[in-house]
Amino acid sequence: MAYYLIEQPKSYLHTISPQIESNIIKSKLTNIIINWIDKKHGNFIRTKEDILYKFKLVYRDSRDGINNESFRNKCEGQVGSLILIKVNQSNKIFGGFSSIGFNSIGNDLLQFDFNGYNSLSFYYSLDNFIFSFENNEDIQNMKISRVIDYSKAILNHYTFGFNFGRGSLYMKNQYLFINSECDNYEKNLNINDNFIIEEIETYIVVKQ
């Protein structure tokens, strides 16, 4: 009788999820988000060899007010930023990551500046994406839409808090608008609707 040694699949322990001071998501969802930032599959199992990230809270509507001005004042500069949004009468969580921030970005990434139309400015990024989770613990049914028109990754205009791709995902005071028919991001969120924002948070995302 012959015996064969069969190598068993390697098992990996999940690393500790990065801590995030969020009222919107559980910490375990941050692993999915940083996998997306690293352009990996959402459920990729991270090890100690992978890049570590830190999330610094810079804006929360219940603390700082919910309108375009308060958001723009707190979320300035060319810096990697994560937005998390909980909407009324739904368990769904929406959000987005911008590697370049949302306003006061500077001119080096400026693509278009229509001065004849109230300074409508578009900015370039290869790395931006928007996403949704079914709830604050969802690790199976999340959706991500990455930027496809890099030259229109972010629209900066004073009438918005933030605007991904001229309408794919944007904030207008206490309202969130999502339009999967816009062509500047992938259409994977598959939603065209607007919501009242229940809670919104912004974090600066820093590699450690």
Side-chain angles (χ1 to χ4, degrees):
M1 180 180 294
Y3 294 88
Y4 299 93
L5 179 64
I6 301 175
E7 184 176 358
Q8 297 296 315
K10 292 180 179 179
S11 61
Y12 295 93
L13 293 175
H14 287 273
T15 56
I16 298 174
S17 299
Q19 294 301 304
I20 188 168
E21 304 170 28
S22 178
N23 295 335
I24 297 177
I25 64 169
K26 303 296 185 182
S27 289
K28 64 183 178 181
L29 296 192
T30 59
N31 272 338
I32 294 173
I33 292 169
I34 61 177
N35 281 339
W36 287 338
I37 292 173
D38 286 344
K39 299 186 177 179
K40 302 178 186 295
H41 187 277
N43 285 327
F44 174 80
I45 298 176
R46 303 183 71 84
T47 69
K48 62 183 180 180
E49 281 75 33
D50 290 299
I51 296 171
L52 297 176
Y53 289 88
K54 182 178 180 180
F55 296 87
K56 179 183 177 182
L57 179 69
V58 293
Y59 170 76
R60 176 176 285 148
D61 70 296
S62 57
R63 181 189 70 186
D64 302 312
I66 182 166
N67 54 63
N68 296 341
E69 183 179 5
S70 61
F71 179 91
R72 294 171 66 85
N73 287 340
K74 291 288 186 178
C75 306
E76 289 187 307
Q78 189 180 130
V79 60
S81 301
L82 171 70
I83 291 176
L84 300 172
I85 305 150
K86 173 75 169 64
V87 297
N88 279 355
Q89 299 182 331
S90 174
N91 290 323
K92 289 180 75 73
I93 307 297
F94 298 101
F97 171 76
S98 175
S99 64
I100 59 172
F102 305 106
N103 72 91
S104 302
I105 294 171
N107 293 328
D108 53 326
L109 297 172
L110 181 64
Q111 298 296 295
F112 308 98
D113 190 357
F114 298 108
N115 289 319
Y117 186 66
N118 296 325
S119 298
L120 194 67
S121 303
F122 288 97
Y123 291 88
Y124 182 96
S125 174
L126 296 169
D127 306 311
N128 285 18
F129 58 85
I130 58 179
F131 58 85
S132 67
F133 293 100
E134 290 302 306
N135 55 63
N136 65 1
E137 297 186 89
D138 174 29
I139 60 172
Q140 297 296 328
N141 301 301
M142 58 281 187
K143 297 177 181 177
I144 176 175
S145 291
R146 294 191 179 275
V147 61
I148 52 179
D149 187 342
Y150 306 140
S151 66
K152 295 180 181 178
I154 286 291
L155 167 61
N156 180 23
H157 192 262
Y158 72 92
T159 56
F160 308 110
F162 64 84
N163 195 323
F164 286 84
R166 197 175 187 178
S168 295
L169 181 87
Y170 67 95
M171 169 193 178
K172 201 164 187 178
N173 293 313
Q174 72 268 37
Y175 294 97
L176 177 72
F177 296 82
I178 306 170
N179 185 354
S180 294
E181 297 305 312
C182 292
D183 294 328
N184 298 328
Y185 281 73
E186 295 173 330
K187 301 179 180 182
N188 300 330
L189 268 59
N190 194 28
I191 186 169
N192 299 293
D193 210 342
N194 60 83
F195 305 88
I196 297 174
I197 296 172
E198 181 176 308
E199 184 93 61
I200 178 170
E201 301 168 340
T202 305
Y203 297 83
I204 293 174
V205 182
V206 182
K207 291 182 181 180
Q208 292 184 291

